[in-house]
Amino acid sequence: MSKITGAHMIIKCLKQEGVGVIFGYPGGKVIPLYDALYDSDIFHILVRHEQAAAHAADAYARATGKTGVCIATSGPGGTNLVTGIANAYMDSVPIVAFTGQVSTVEIGTDAFQEADITGITAPITKHNYLVKDIKDLPSIIKEAFYIASTGRPGPVLIDVPVDISTGLIDEKAEGEIDLPGYKPTYKGNQKQIKQAAKKIYESKKPVIFSGGGVISSGASEILTSFAEKAKIPVITSLLGMGSFPEHSPLALNMAGMHGTRYANTAFTQSDLIIAVGARFDDRVTGKVSGFAPEAEVIHIDIDPAEIGKIIKTAIPVVGNAKDVLTDLNKRYFEMDNAKSIDRKKEWVAHLMELKEKFPLMYDKKSPNLKPAYIVEKIYEHTEGKAIICTEVGQNQMWAAQFYKFTQPRTFISSGGLGTMGFGLPAAIGAKAGRPDKTVIDIAGDGSIQMVSQELATAVSNRLPIKIMLLNNGYLGMVRQWQELFFKKRYSHTCIRECVDFVKLAEAYGGVGLRVTDKKDVDSAIKEALETDNVVLVDFWIESEENVYPMVAPGAPISEMLEWEY
Amino acid sequence: MNHIISVLVENKAGVLAKISGLFSRRGFNIDSLAVGTTEDKSISRITIVVQADQRGIEQVVKQLYKLINVLKIQELDPANIVERELVLIKVATDSKNRAEILEIVNIFRANIVDVAKKSLLIEITGTSTKVDALRELLDPYGILELTRTGKIASTRGSKKKI
């Protein structure tokens, strides 16, 4: 019986799981693992900070549908992963994170670079493991990938003490999944689905609310065909963007705090919300008591805990979005679709009129450099085919509002956690997973400075991502709140003229371009897209431009601060 | 309102921390918690008493189910269970009042498990109401130490509880 080290067993198991790319950063307690990686053909991307490894693994998973993998050492390596793991947890993204740990005999002694990472990450992982016996290693890895990628996806962490990775194990040891307490429901209850179909059929003012679960379960196609055939308008959540093509007349785009007026009005006036893989985040509902007062809710979600958590549900259906929608689709079209469409005709016409009357707007005639204009231009130049990653804040909302997403897995953004510094490592992860795609990080000057060292990662791994920096010299979203709700007292939000971003890009071996005039936008984007290197375009946008429409925090979504039409 | 939740979990390291952590994270305060293995050594039962409204308890049960090591959860109906708690009470005595205390202990069918010069150690098993009543009566003598196991419960009848 020939034996291999635990570290080699980890690599072997990763290969079995089909892992091709890993994001990580070495350190004392993962040296054995990195030593095993040295002989492997797995592509390892060395980041410059562990947080970026977690974000990159997260975006890799979102872009490809596969499980992302990251590695960090014990202690600070693990704690640096925490933000990235929390981000993946909030947005239900499958990643498996490996951390090194001090040896089993040293655990609990405050050894050098020891941190209780399973304790720390318990609230932000779907599950986590501390490997105490090398014999468990293959099973733990198998279970981790299974848990991360099935049911409601999420991050799983495996903490590997160094004596486990240097210990020996039978080369042929195979893992087994033994999870008696974990049985996700995929197929929806047929009686509930039948009731739901009937309720949709009878409704006069229905609206579909499509969330991130539609994308992760691969239900975009069936959702789109259902909505188009039944002529039911579709609102997307931020993470649901791309689940329904935005050029469809039935697309009402995003609802909520910075959603469209027609989407928020549709929620407010509808008599039936068909929520699919969406969790009614407070950024969508606004003041909950004022949300959709006349609507009944059909809630389709794989996680029973999401049903009834925020909004009262008339018909709950626990199951995978794709399976449930397929069944619902079948049931629905057993009824007379023409009659149903007729019943909803007035409603749809009303929404189409609102859409016409209150489009997303900005001052198109202004000679100034408007962020919305830049995003529109990025859309034009990429023909809507790029993968767009964003940072968090105004840049994120402008990207969501003005880029028209038509395909799932093309909009990658930190929704639930709202993590500044997500976009650049996300673009790296997405590009590693989809080298065939143009990958763009629509960034802000605040967010990107949280992770700007990752320019080195992108350049040295030849991942030619494009960073479109909407530079306003402010922590823009906070400044906007200060302007609107704190009497323009701009406390610590002005960060102007500190960094020369062109030089920064060049310092890392990338290309930096600067645009200060509207007329140069086209040529700069074109040059960025045509250059086979990491390119950062530093757009000096109008500094106090606000994101509109906006629902004030705590207000119902029917009350919007608006662009003046 | 008080709810008694019985949770069957895999008997593995760290499971209790994950469960108790979930309660505090979701904003619930645990009144009592008792853990022990069941007839199957690989499975533990955790009996938790928690204050929550109906909606809150539903949410907490759903969240508990999401923990991978949780096998089954039951909210126990107080009308259909036998609940017990074991409590040790050390009460101060002297030769003058010892007889009085023994009288009280007898009425409650509690036991004296240790006698010392200046104290008695009393063991009582029963419902929380019974325990509280005894405690109230012993209070004037001076309770030196009180240890409760937390509530455990089982449903009536021959049907297996979970």
Side-chain angles (χ1 to χ4, degrees):
Chain A
M1 182 166 74
S2 74
K3 300 227 171 198
I4 55 173
T5 65
H8 279 95
M9 180 51 82
I10 292 175
I11 301 297
K12 190 185 150 200
C13 292
L14 291 177
K15 297 280 289 179
Q16 275 172 1
E17 297 295 335
V19 174
V21 183
I22 294 177
F23 305 89
Y25 202 93
K29 302 299 177 204
V30 286
I31 295 175
L33 186 54
Y34 272 86
D35 190 62
L37 202 54
Y38 200 58
D39 302 323
S40 146
D41 58 355
I42 294 177
F43 183 41
H44 178 269
I45 291 178
L46 175 67
V47 294
R48 295 300 184 272
H49 185 292
E50 291 89 346
Q51 183 182 335
H55 286 328
D58 173 329
Y60 175 89
R62 297 192 209 211
T64 63
K66 294 189 262 183
T67 299
V69 179
C70 57
I71 300 176
T73 192
S74 64
T79 56
N80 277 348
L81 285 181
V82 167
T83 300
I85 294 171
N87 190 75
Y89 184 70
M90 286 289 264
D91 288 351
S92 309
V93 181
I95 66 171
V96 173
F98 286 87
T99 47
Q101 182 56 278
V102 300
S103 70
T104 48
V105 291
E106 283 177 311
I107 286 178
T109 64
D110 303 316
F112 177 64
Q113 292 193 331
E114 179 183 2
D116 172 17
I117 200 67
T118 48
I120 289 168
T121 59
I124 53 162
T125 49
K126 190 171 168 187
H127 194 50
N128 64 25
Y129 294 91
L130 167 63
V131 188
K132 286 183 165 165
D133 185 339
I134 193 165
K135 286 202 292 297
D136 298 336
L137 195 53
S139 293
I140 285 176
I141 296 173
K142 203 165 201 174
E143 287 183 0
F145 276 86
Y146 178 68
I147 291 169
S149 61
T150 55
R152 178 179 181 170
V156 178
L157 180 136
I158 305 176
D159 198 20
V160 188
V162 66
D163 54 328
I164 299 286
S165 51
T166 54
L168 293 175
I169 181 170
D170 177 8
E171 185 186 27
K172 294 208 174 69
E174 289 286 337
E176 250 178 63
I177 293 174
D178 177 26
L179 298 165
Y182 179 67
K183 297 177 210 85
T185 309
Y186 281 80
K187 200 88 179 146
N189 179 305
Q190 294 304 309
K191 217 175 102 195
Q192 304 281 83
I193 292 173
K194 205 171 160 187
Q195 269 184 31
K198 192 155 165 263
K199 184 76 94 184
I200 300 168
Y201 179 74
E202 283 164 359
S203 68
K204 289 191 182 126
K205 300 189 276 181
V207 62
I208 293 170
F209 178 36
S210 176
V214 172
I215 293 173
S216 61
S217 76
S220 305
E221 213 173 302
I222 181 76
L223 180 123
T224 304
S225 110
F226 175 72
E228 297 277 5
K229 270 196 262 171
K231 299 254 177 298
I232 300 174
V234 180
I235 294 171
T236 50
S237 70
L238 182 73
L239 293 188
M241 302 199 69
S243 64
F244 185 76
E246 288 197 80
H247 49 53
S248 163
L250 290 167
L252 301 180
N253 313 98
M254 183 172 73
M257 184 170 269
H258 294 292
T260 61
R261 172 138 171 197
Y262 40 94
N264 285 352
T265 310
F267 266 150
T268 308
Q269 297 176 348
S270 77
D271 65 358
L272 181 67
I273 296 169
I274 307 139
V276 193
R279 60 180 179 87
F280 294 100
D281 183 90
D282 55 83
R283 284 298 187 265
V284 168
T285 61
K287 186 180 173 189
V288 175
S289 60
F291 178 75
E294 286 156 42
E296 287 196 286
V297 175
I298 297 170
H299 198 168
I300 300 167
D301 204 291
I302 198 156
D303 181 359
E306 286 306 337
I307 291 168
K309 187 179 83 176
I310 307 289
I311 300 288
K312 210 169 145 249
T313 304
I315 305 179
V317 187
V318 176
N320 183 35
K322 190 176 181 180
D323 294 320
V324 175
L325 282 175
T326 307
D327 290 345
L328 181 69
N329 188 66
K330 197 168 143 256
R331 288 279 180 207
Y332 185 79
F333 290 110
E334 283 167 5
M335 294 176 281
D336 185 350
N337 190 34
K339 229 185 226 172
S340 178
I341 290 177
D342 198 48
R343 205 177 350 251
K344 299 160 176 56
K345 211 164 63 188
E346 228 173 279
W347 167 245
V348 176
H350 165 62
L351 293 178
M352 294 305 108
E353 200 185 306
L354 283 178
K355 201 173 159 179
E356 185 88 2
K357 220 165 133 194
F358 302 106
L360 288 166
M361 278 294 288
Y362 65 94
D363 184 2
K364 297 191 183 196
K365 291 194 196 100
S366 163
N368 299 338
L369 195 46
K370 295 282 185 182
Y373 173 79
I374 297 166
V375 176
E376 281 184 343
K377 283 289 169 192
I378 297 170
Y379 172 73
E380 258 177 59
H381 282 273
T382 56
E383 298 168 342
K385 288 176 186 156
I387 291 179
I388 302 293
C389 302
T390 76
E391 303 290 343
V392 161
Q394 289 185 315
N395 62 82
Q396 178 185 32
M397 291 298 112
W398 285 318
Q401 290 180 334
F402 291 97
Y403 197 93
K404 299 291 163 234
F405 295 93
T406 57
Q407 291 291 320
R409 304 194 180 280
T410 56
F411 178 66
I412 296 176
S413 194
S414 167
L417 197 66
T419 312
M420 288 174 74
F422 175 73
L424 174 54
I428 290 169
K431 185 73 183 170
R434 292 298 306 269
D436 56 315
K437 285 273 203 181
T438 299
V439 178
I440 290 171
D441 173 27
I442 293 181
D445 49 320
S447 286
I448 202 164
Q449 287 187 69
M450 289 200 173
V451 289
S452 54
Q453 77 285 349
E454 298 306 323
L455 285 164
T457 308
V459 172
S460 60
N461 286 285
R462 298 197 168 75
L463 297 165
I465 55 170
K466 315 298 167 189
I467 299 147
M468 304 293 174
L469 182 63
L470 307 178
N471 182 354
N472 56 11
Y474 280 111
L475 305 178
M477 189 58 93
V478 178
R479 187 211 56 76
Q480 177 170 339
W481 282 47
Q482 288 172 333
E483 178 192 327
L484 298 173
F485 313 119
F486 291 87
K487 300 179 184 153
K488 288 202 176 190
R489 288 155 55 86
Y490 292 166
S491 177
H492 296 276
T493 44
C494 185
I495 52 171
R496 193 167 302 164
E497 286 158 12
C498 290
V499 186
D500 183 330
F501 286 100
V502 170
K503 279 190 190 153
L504 182 74
E506 286 167 354
Y508 282 109
V511 176
L513 304 170
R514 176 162 296 127
V515 177
T516 55
D517 196 311
K518 198 174 173 179
K519 69 173 177 8
D520 300 325
V521 171
D522 271 306
S523 59
I525 294 173
K526 192 158 177 281
E527 187 181 341
L529 294 177
E530 283 169 358
T531 305
D532 184 25
N533 193 351
V534 175
V535 183
L536 184 152
V537 189
D538 181 20
F539 293 101
W540 286 12
I541 63 167
E542 192 171 326
S543 60
E544 298 198 17
E545 179 81 348
N546 284 343
V547 179
Y548 285 120
M550 177 176 193
V551 177
I557 57 168
S558 51
E559 290 167 22
M560 307 184 76
L561 308 169
E562 290 259 20
W563 171 262
E564 298 291 330
Y565 288 95
Chain B
M1 201 193 142
N2 247 334
H3 297 264
I4 310 172
I5 307 172
S6 177
V7 188
L8 287 181
V9 300
E10 291 181 81
N11 185 8
K12 286 184 176 168
V15 176
L16 181 62
K18 279 178 182 155
I19 289 184
S20 59
L22 188 141
F23 277 85
S24 64
R25 190 156 82 239
R26 298 272 167 187
F28 296 97
N29 195 16
I30 294 175
D31 276 2
S32 85
L33 184 148
V35 200
T37 54
T38 61
E39 66 279 6
D40 178 345
K41 262 196 301 195
S42 67
I43 294 174
S44 294
R45 186 188 305 283
I46 304 179
T47 310
I48 304 164
V49 181
V50 63
Q51 296 271 358
D53 57 16
Q54 196 50 42
R55 198 181 152 144
I57 205 75
E58 273 168 33
Q59 181 58 211
V60 97
V61 166
K62 284 173 168 180
Q63 294 294 347
L64 277 174
Y65 261 121
K66 287 170 70 172
L67 298 177
I68 306 289
N69 301 120
V70 169
L71 301 171
K72 264 197 166 168
I73 305 163
Q74 195 179 30
E75 203 205 326
L76 300 177
D77 172 10
N80 197 29
I81 56 166
V82 178
E83 53 150 302
R84 289 289 181 272
E85 194 174 10
L86 189 143
V87 183
L88 295 173
I89 305 171
K90 190 180 284 180
V91 62
T93 65
D94 49 40
S95 51
K96 275 180 257 160
N97 60 19
R98 189 168 284 141
E100 269 175 53
I101 294 174
L102 285 174
E103 184 90 351
I104 294 169
V105 167
N106 280 335
I107 293 168
F108 274 84
R109 290 195 206 121
N111 296 316
I112 307 286
V113 288
D114 185 57
V115 184
K117 228 178 183 175
K118 287 184 177 168
S119 71
L120 282 172
L121 186 61
I122 300 162
E123 171 203 312
I124 179 168
T125 310
T127 60
S128 304
T129 356
K130 182 177 167 186
V131 170
D132 289 342
L134 175 63
R135 182 198 169 143
E136 209 170 292
L137 287 173
L138 293 176
D139 234 0
Y141 302 103
I143 292 177
L144 303 172
E145 204 176 276
L146 188 140
T147 312
R148 313 178 78 134
T149 57
K151 202 178 281 188
I152 58 165
S154 191
T155 49
R156 293 179 188 276
S158 52
K159 222 171 93 187
K160 214 174 163 193
K161 187 167 102 184
I162 290 184

